[in-house]
């Protein structure tokens, strides 16, 4: 489409700087190909890796589409750079999985001025004017958090005081904001629940292991670990093992985790994790369907939520774990 001019522009730029990944200067511009620029958060977790796979698989082999993906390595600034490059390249459509919610007005306005439709996926953006994007597809993170606290309500008698250790993901990301909100709301309405500490794990295993190891060196009084994603949970489990603190079924610490990846589900089945709240990353095909609807002039909803539930040691079967795609 708008690519011929952009490729020339890009070619000129390539001489002075290295950029424009995904566009080979030798490519013949093909007006029939619908080019999508996709700014992905990073590869911080198993969830993210599965989501990237689902997105690429949805468009792979379809000659009508070209998906240009940029990995922002969890930095919003890198997302701005990628999006500006997409605009320069004259892509037909832009997809952004935003690292954090704030700070998107300017770049979304630039996309609007370039007349490129934009989809927000996975997490959300906090902008006043929602005409700055077409649609937002992803999880209902508040619902996920509520599933977790409802489960905990059923586990803890009202006369028992509990100490909750809270491992948080990337601060400012929708997944962190909403999962945190669900817990903090619940703590406010349960006088016997206490959050003893909120540790920053940035959704990664390495960071969680580090902060947990540090924390456990002087604090061992934990009844519940509320960990905002599976990879942080894996890091925390390692730290708990090393500190000699038991967890899971019959252990000292009840573990609540989010994502429900295959590895976490296996631990849940084996009684090492108590609750896995599902966060489904496999919505590449739904993204494609929405884009196709948009291209056909059909109206599409402003917000699309994917289906999710929660699993406990008691409810999960080995068959289910084995059939898990991610
Ligand atoms: O829970 C975590 C990932 O935004 C759904 O980001 C996402 C979260 C997910 O890195 O594992």
């Amino acid at each position: 489409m708008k690519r011929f001019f952009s490729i020339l522009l890009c070619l000129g730029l390539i001489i002075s700087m290295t950029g424009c990944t995904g566009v080979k200067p030798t490519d013949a511009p093909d007006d029939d190909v619908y080019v999508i620029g996709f700014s992905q958060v990073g590869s911080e977790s198993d969830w993210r890796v599965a989501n990237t796979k689902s997105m690429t698989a949805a468009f792979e082999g379809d000659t009508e589409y070209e998906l240009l993906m940029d990995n922002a390595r969890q930095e919003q600034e890198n997302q701005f750079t990628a999006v500006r490059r997409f605009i320069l390249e004259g892509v037909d459509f832009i997809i952004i999985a935003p690292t954090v919610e704030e700070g998107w007005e300017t770049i979304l306005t630039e996309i609007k001025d370039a007349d490129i439709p934009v989809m927000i996926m996975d997490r959300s953006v906090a902008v006043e004017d929602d005409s700055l994007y077409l649609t937002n597809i992803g999880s209902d993170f508040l619902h996920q958090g509520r599933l977790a606290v409802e489960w905990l309500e059923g586990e803890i008698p009202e006369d028992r005081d509990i100490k909750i250790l809270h491992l948080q993901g990337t601060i400012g990301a929708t997944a962190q904001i909403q999962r945190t909100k669900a817990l903090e709301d619940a703590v406010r309405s349960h006088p016997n629940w206490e959050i003893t500490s909120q540790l920053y794990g940035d959704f990664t295993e390495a960071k969680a292991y580090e902060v947990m190891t540090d924390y456990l060196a002087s604090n061992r009084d934990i009844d519940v670990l509320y960990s905002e994603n599976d990879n942080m949970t894996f890091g925390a489990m390692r730290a708990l093992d090393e500190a000699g603190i038991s967890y899971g079924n019959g252990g000292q610490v009840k573990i609540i985790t989010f994502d429900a990846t295959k590895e976490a589900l296996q631990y849940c089945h084996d009684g090492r994790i108590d609750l896995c709240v599902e966060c489904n990353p496999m919505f590449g095909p739904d993204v494609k369907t929405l884009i196709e609807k948009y291209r056909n002039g059909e109206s599409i909803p402003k917000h699309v939520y994917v289906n999710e539930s929660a699993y406990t040691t008691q409810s999960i079967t080995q068959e289910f774990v084995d059939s898990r795609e991610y």
Side-chain angles (χ1 to χ4, degrees):
M1 291 236 168
K2 307 158 199 150
R3 289 190 86 201
F4 182 62
F5 173 71
S6 327
I7 285 170
L8 283 181
L9 200 65
C10 203
L11 231 175
L13 283 174
I14 278 172
I15 296 165
S16 54
M17 61 176 201
T18 48
C20 305
T21 4
V23 175
K24 293 176 225 91
T26 47
D27 273 356
D30 184 348
D31 268 4
D32 297 333
V33 176
Y34 196 77
V35 182
I36 301 170
F38 170 35
S39 170
Q40 176 61 297
V41 169
S43 40
E44 73 284 0
S45 64
D46 296 341
W47 187 99
R48 188 68 53 195
V49 172
N51 178 248
T52 298
K53 272 195 200 146
S54 173
M55 286 291 289
T56 44
F59 295 96
E60 221 162 46
D62 187 337
T63 51
E64 221 182 294
Y65 288 96
E66 185 180 2
L67 184 73
L68 306 176
M69 200 198 79
D70 182 274
N71 179 333
R73 300 185 306 282
Q74 284 190 279
E75 293 295 337
Q76 189 180 35
E77 275 301 319
N78 292 340
Q79 301 207 277
F80 295 162
T81 307
V83 167
R84 292 198 169 107
R85 206 169 56 228
F86 294 147
I87 296 174
L88 209 61
E89 289 173 7
V91 299
D92 298 291
F93 198 98
I94 291 178
I95 303 174
I96 301 173
T99 46
V100 289
E101 287 193 353
E102 299 293 335
W104 290 96
E105 264 92 1
T106 307
I107 197 86
L108 288 177
T109 307
E110 287 174 38
I111 301 174
K112 192 178 186 177
D113 291 346
D115 212 14
I116 301 171
V118 57
M119 172 191 286
I120 308 298
M121 63 155 264
D122 161 27
R123 303 170 184 173
S124 305
V125 290
V127 289
E128 291 224 329
D129 174 9
D130 72 359
S131 76
L132 285 174
Y133 60 90
L134 205 59
T135 183
N136 185 175
I137 177 170
S139 297
D140 183 342
F141 298 110
L142 188 60
H143 172 69
Q144 292 176 357
R146 287 188 174 147
L147 285 177
V149 298
E150 272 164 27
W151 173 82
L152 195 57
E153 277 164 358
E155 291 288 301
I156 307 293
E158 271 173 38
D159 58 354
R160 186 184 156 202
D161 290 342
I162 51 161
K163 290 187 166 33
I164 305 169
L165 179 60
H166 182 190
L167 253 180
Q168 293 182 294
T170 307
I171 301 298
T174 316
Q176 175 276 316
I177 295 172
Q178 302 295 343
R179 290 170 184 166
T180 292
K181 178 176 166 31
L183 178 64
E184 289 178 345
D185 285 351
V187 166
R188 265 191 294 274
S189 60
H190 292 85
N192 57 325
W193 294 16
E194 182 198 349
I195 299 176
T196 46
S197 210
Q198 294 182 310
L199 306 179
Y200 181 53
D202 203 15
F203 286 131
T204 72
E205 191 164 335
K207 186 76 191 150
Y209 172 71
E210 184 192 312
V211 295
M212 279 294 290
T213 304
D214 213 47
Y215 182 83
L216 296 176
S218 45
N219 306 276
R220 301 176 64 89
D221 194 5
I222 310 162
D223 301 301
V224 177
L225 174 70
Y226 183 95
S227 166
E228 290 179 355
N229 88 339
D230 286 352
N231 288 85
M232 292 197 297
T233 304
F234 303 152
M237 286 163 74
R238 198 145 49 92
L240 287 165
D241 283 339
E242 288 174 11
I245 298 174
S246 64
Y247 52 86
N249 230 353
Q252 176 192 322
V253 183
K254 285 189 192 304
I255 297 187
I256 296 173
T257 188
F258 293 84
D259 283 353
T261 55
K262 192 180 193 125
E263 189 175 352
L265 287 177
Q266 186 65 62
Y267 290 142
C268 185
H269 179 263
D270 299 346
R272 299 183 66 201
I273 287 179
D274 296 273
L275 182 76
C276 282
V277 181
E278 186 172 42
C279 184
N280 181 358
M282 310 307 285
F283 50 84
D286 305 299
V287 165
K288 190 176 182 190
T289 305
L290 283 174
I291 293 176
E292 275 165 352
K293 282 192 172 163
Y294 166 75
R295 293 182 68 195
N296 289 335
E298 290 170 47
S299 75
I300 54 177
K302 200 75 200 176
H303 214 128
V304 179
Y305 290 117
V306 294
N307 273 340
E308 291 160 343
S309 42
Y311 308 96
T312 62
T313 305
Q314 290 73 29
S315 72
I316 204 165
T317 63
Q318 185 61 48
E319 209 183 346
F320 181 73
V321 178
D322 294 341
S323 66
R324 192 57 148 192
E325 269 183 278
Y326 61 97

